Amino acid sequence: MSSTTEEIIQVCKALPDDKQSELADFAHFLLARQDDEAWECRLAYPQSRPSLDSFLRESAAEGDEPLDPNRL
């Protein structure tokens, strides 16, 4: 276990239950943000993606129909 992990555990133990929940929520927020940043890097990739471009064109041409579960 890393020293940072041990430090977080000690901080968590020192906090009341409601603050421990807030700390866990913040950690989840940081994880989600990390995922967002990874997606931003993928989307900003400068190389052409013909399959994605084709899918987006076809999707845009379909119009704005509501999703019909019977057609899935």
Side-chain angles (χ1 to χ4, degrees):
M1 187 178 321
S2 74
S3 61
T4 303
T5 304
E6 290 177 11
E7 184 178 358
I8 291 170
I9 290 170
Q10 293 306 316
V11 168
C12 226
K13 287 180 179 178
L15 292 171
D17 290 343
D18 62 326
K19 299 298 180 187
Q20 288 179 16
S21 294
E22 288 181 32
L23 182 58
D25 288 343
F26 183 65
H28 288 290
F29 166 77
L30 291 176
L31 281 174
R33 226 181 126 157
Q34 180 178 345
D35 290 342
D36 290 345
E37 290 171 5
W39 274 109
E40 291 297 324
C41 287
R42 287 184 190 109
L43 294 174
Y45 188 68
Q47 221 169 7
S48 175
R49 291 170 280 215
S51 296
L52 177 60
D53 293 339
S54 174
F55 170 76
L56 292 175
R57 276 193 306 277
E58 291 171 13
S59 296
E62 289 179 2
D64 291 335
E65 295 179 21
L67 183 61
D68 182 2
N70 295 326
R71 293 179 55 198
L72 294 177

